[in-house]
């Protein structure tokens, strides 16, 4: 317990004690970290209900069992070998009416859930608009409808993205209006043929680069429309990367974002990449996002804000980290709402990374991709480094031979080029002669 402005507040972990939590997207990257953090740092949480859909060749229970076998849960497994008893899977499908949740499960959820974390979404940039709309907007609408039936719900936390408003140069912690009303757009596209929707998609998304950012912006508007009936918080992370500290440094389980770049470069597949060195690299460690998410859930439930609170969880505003500075440093930005939160949070739910050693983070990130994504033996790191040196030398040799060959071809066709070549060669010869004479005198 601690006091702020004369008000006694319970710590975050104490607040989650005895609570029943509903999580969508729990089998995804961020969802798994959220589940692990709740089980480890809030050991008295009552139950975690997770929406899971059967996958091709894998049942719902098999997917959950695979998730719980993940190395991510090693620390929880050491503290509580029976942690899986707190995880209750609920069969669901985001593309189906009512999320395909059975009446019995609906009754269970509406009678016991205290807080909802909505992490599920499609993150494919090239998703057809109709499908992206179904997964990112319509599913959110249906989950909000279910949440309104929950008798003991205290907070609804929606995971958005910092790029929902990427068409703006400056983004505040507010929900920006859209030129179209989401529900009307859904009704309009419902009867249209896919080819028609594909043709009008560029006009609909306007100056946004893809359907992902567009539908995430629509989802924010949908959530805002329900904020009068629910206590709502919206988290906007940027490019979510490997863990910084929790449950251990460098954990990652996918090829998304910078992970694929690190792996391709490490394997020697990616030798160069066209990019601006001055472009801001808005990387954010996944554990920072999850700590903020859980803190925002607590804050939303305790303070019951009249309007939805938005939390930008990015790294590019105060001390930007550029792509040309990978391995240098990175700092997190917490806006107005985060700044208030940070005053009352214990270093257990830390999302202030100003003390973070970013070169160390990038190194752990690279090692994490090797260890957890590629499942490679860490003992072969010296051999891998030697392999990279060999590839580098091959590249330098090839580039040198290619340059000499092109230059020789150019010399054969140009008298001026030959004159320049002979001049450079004579200078080199004179320099070597001078160097030899100096060495002899010495």
């Amino acid at each position: 317990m601690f006091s702020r402005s004369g008000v006694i507040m319970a710590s975050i972990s104490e607040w989650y004690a005895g609570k029943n939590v509903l999580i969508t997207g729990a089998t995804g990257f961020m969802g798994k970290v959220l589940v692990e953090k709740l089980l480890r740092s809030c050991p008295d949480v009552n139950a975690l209900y997770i929406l899971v859909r059967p996958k091709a060749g894998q049942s719902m229970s098999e997917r959950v069992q695979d998730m719980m076998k993940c190395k991510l849960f090693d620390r929880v497994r050491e503290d509580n070998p029976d942690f899986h008893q707190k995880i209750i899977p609920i069969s669901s499908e985001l593309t189906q009416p009512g999320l395909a949740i059975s009446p019995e499960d609906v009754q269970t959820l509406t009678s016991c859930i205290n807080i909802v974390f909505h992490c599920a979404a499609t993150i494919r940039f090239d998703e057809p608009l109709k499908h992206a709309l179904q997964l990112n907007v319509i599913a959110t609408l249906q989950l909000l409808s279910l949440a309104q039936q929950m008798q003991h719900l205290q907070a609804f936390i929606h995971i958005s993205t910092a790029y929902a408003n990427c068409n703006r140069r400056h983004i505040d912690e507010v929900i920006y209006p859209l030129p179209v009303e989401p529900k009307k757009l859904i009704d309009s596209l419902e009867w249209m043929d896919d080819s028609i929707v594909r043709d009008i998609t560029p006009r609909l998304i306007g100056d946004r680069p893809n359907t992902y950012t567009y539908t995430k912006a629509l989802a924010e508007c949908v959530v805002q429309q329900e904020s009068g009936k629910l206590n709502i918080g919206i988290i906007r992370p940027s490019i979510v990367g490997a863990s910084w500290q929790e449950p251990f440094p460098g954990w990652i389980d996918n090829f998304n974002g910078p992970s694929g770049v690190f792996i391709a470069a490490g394997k020697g597949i990616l030798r160069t990449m066209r990019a601006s060195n001055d472009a801001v690299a808005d990387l954010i460690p996944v554990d920072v996002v999850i700590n903020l998410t859980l803190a925002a859930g607590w804050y939303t439930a305790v303070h019951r804000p009249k309007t939805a609170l938005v939390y930008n969880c990015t790294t590019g505003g105060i001390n930007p980290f550029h792509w040309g500075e990978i391995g240098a440093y990175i700092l997190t930005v917490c806006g107005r709402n985060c700044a208030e939160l940070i005053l009352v949070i214990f270093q257990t739910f830390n999302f202030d990374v100003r003390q973070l050693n970013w070169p160390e983070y990038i190194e752990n990130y690279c090692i994490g991709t090797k260890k957890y994504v590629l499942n490679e033996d860490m003992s072969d790191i010296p051999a891998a480094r030697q392999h990279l040196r060999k590839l580098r030398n091959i590249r330098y040799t090839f580039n040198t031979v290619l340059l000499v060959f092109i230059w020789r071809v150019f010399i054969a066709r140009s008298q001026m080029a030959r004159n320049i070549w002979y001049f450079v060669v004579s200078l080199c010869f004179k320099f070597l002669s001078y160097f030899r004479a100096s060495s002899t005198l010495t």
Side-chain angles (χ1 to χ4, degrees):
M1 303 290 287
F2 59 98
S3 175
R4 176 176 178 265
S5 301
V7 179
I8 302 298
M9 298 182 181
S11 71
I12 295 176
S13 59
E14 287 175 335
W15 184 84
Y16 281 100
K19 297 295 191 297
N20 293 305
V21 182
L22 175 63
I23 302 173
T24 69
T27 57
F29 175 48
M30 288 181 56
K32 279 188 280 194
V33 180
L34 176 60
V35 169
E36 192 278 339
K37 176 67 176 182
L38 271 169
L39 291 171
R40 177 167 48 83
S41 296
C42 306
D44 294 325
V45 67
N46 188 58
L48 307 183
Y49 293 82
I50 62 175
L51 299 189
V52 184
R53 67 178 178 88
K55 222 174 182 179
Q58 203 175 29
S59 68
M60 176 188 70
S61 58
E62 288 173 337
R63 291 192 69 189
V64 175
Q65 288 174 7
D66 284 349
M67 180 186 79
M68 291 186 292
K69 291 176 184 177
C70 178
K71 183 174 176 59
L72 174 71
F73 294 93
D74 281 358
R75 287 183 61 183
V76 175
R77 195 174 289 111
E78 290 176 4
D79 296 337
N80 179 17
D82 297 324
F83 76 94
H84 60 277
Q85 295 181 359
K86 290 193 174 186
I87 300 177
I88 304 174
I90 301 291
S91 180
S92 177
E93 174 55 69
L94 297 185
T95 61
Q96 298 299 316
L99 305 180
I101 302 176
S102 69
E104 295 78 15
D105 287 335
V106 167
Q107 184 175 2
T108 299
L109 296 175
T110 54
S111 63
C112 75
I113 294 298
N114 303 112
I115 183 167
V116 174
F117 292 105
H118 181 32
C119 305
T122 175
I123 58 173
R124 286 183 54 186
F125 292 165
D126 59 349
E127 196 81 75
L129 180 58
K130 259 192 176 182
H131 197 232
L133 202 68
Q134 176 67 54
L135 292 171
N136 291 345
V137 185
I138 298 176
T140 301
L141 263 173
Q142 296 189 86
L143 186 64
L144 285 164
S145 177
L146 177 64
Q148 291 171 6
Q149 303 173 49
M150 294 176 179
Q151 304 163 20
H152 306 288
L153 187 68
Q154 295 176 267
F156 184 104
I157 305 300
H158 173 71
I159 306 298
S160 183
T161 172
Y163 302 104
N165 301 286
C166 60
N167 55 332
R168 293 177 175 270
R169 189 169 183 84
H170 180 82
I171 302 172
D172 284 316
E173 290 180 321
V174 298
I175 300 172
Y176 293 98
L178 290 170
V180 62
E181 210 286 321
K183 294 179 182 177
K184 290 182 179 179
L185 177 64
I186 293 169
D187 294 338
S188 300
L189 296 184
E190 186 176 2
W191 59 268
M192 290 187 187
D193 184 78
D194 289 346
S195 60
I196 298 176
V197 176
R198 185 173 60 250
D199 291 340
I200 65 173
T201 293
R203 292 288 302 274
L204 288 173
I205 67 176
D207 54 357
R208 285 184 172 83
N210 49 53
T211 56
Y212 168 70
T213 56
Y214 179 65
T215 53
K216 292 299 281 185
L218 288 171
E220 285 193 0
C221 288
V222 165
V223 171
Q224 184 187 40
Q225 291 170 355
E226 305 300 326
S227 62
K229 306 171 187 176
L230 302 170
N231 301 318
I232 287 178
I234 296 176
I235 312 296
R236 287 179 182 159
S238 50
I239 303 172
V240 182
S243 61
W244 165 27
Q245 294 175 322
E246 301 180 81
F248 35 78
W251 186 81
I252 185 77
D253 74 342
N254 60 69
F255 292 89
N256 298 334
S259 308
V261 175
F262 294 156
I263 291 171
K267 288 293 185 181
I269 299 171
L270 183 67
R271 297 184 301 166
T272 59
M273 184 173 68
R274 184 176 180 180
S276 170
N277 286 339
D278 296 327
V280 174
D282 256 319
L283 306 181
I284 190 77
V286 63
D287 48 336
V288 172
V289 181
I290 295 307
N291 285 342
L292 173 60
T293 298
L294 290 173
W298 160 79
Y299 189 87
T300 302
V302 170
H303 291 272
R304 299 180 175 272
K306 295 181 180 178
T307 59
L309 292 181
V310 179
Y311 302 88
N312 290 336
C313 189
T314 66
T315 60
I318 294 177
N319 286 294
F321 168 63
H322 302 93
W323 287 111
E325 301 174 295
I326 285 184
Y329 63 90
I330 188 171
L331 293 174
T332 243
V333 167
C334 294
R336 297 186 304 273
N337 295 329
C338 293
E340 183 176 357
L341 258 182
I342 215 167
L343 294 174
V344 293
I345 300 301
F346 286 126
Q347 281 303 328
T348 306
F349 295 87
N350 179 29
F351 51 85
D352 178 11
V353 295
R354 284 174 290 189
Q355 301 86 24
L356 175 61
N357 183 315
W358 281 102
E360 181 182 358
Y361 171 73
I362 296 298
E363 181 180 355
N364 288 333
Y365 197 147
C366 293
I367 292 175
T369 59
K370 179 178 177 65
K371 188 174 182 180
Y372 307 119
V373 180
L374 301 177
N375 296 315
E376 293 183 348
D377 188 355
M378 301 307 293
S379 64
D380 67 357
I381 287 181
R385 287 174 176 161
Q386 185 177 358
H387 176 67
L388 283 178
R389 285 194 294 268
K390 185 184 297 184
L391 290 176
R392 181 194 60 192
N393 293 337
I394 291 173
R395 184 174 76 250
Y396 287 166
T397 302
F398 175 80
N399 289 344
T400 302
V401 171
L402 181 62
L403 180 63
V404 170
F405 174 77
I406 293 174
W407 181 244
R408 293 293 296 176
V409 171
F410 188 56
I411 286 175
R413 297 186 178 182
S414 170
Q415 181 62 45
M416 181 179 292
R418 285 197 293 272
N419 293 338
I420 294 174
W421 173 256
Y422 295 143
F423 176 72
V424 171
V425 170
S426 65
L427 281 180
C428 292
F429 179 76
K430 289 178 180 179
F431 174 77
L432 289 174
S433 300
Y434 174 78
F435 180 76
R436 287 175 182 172
S438 301
S439 300
T440 303
L441 290 173
T442 302

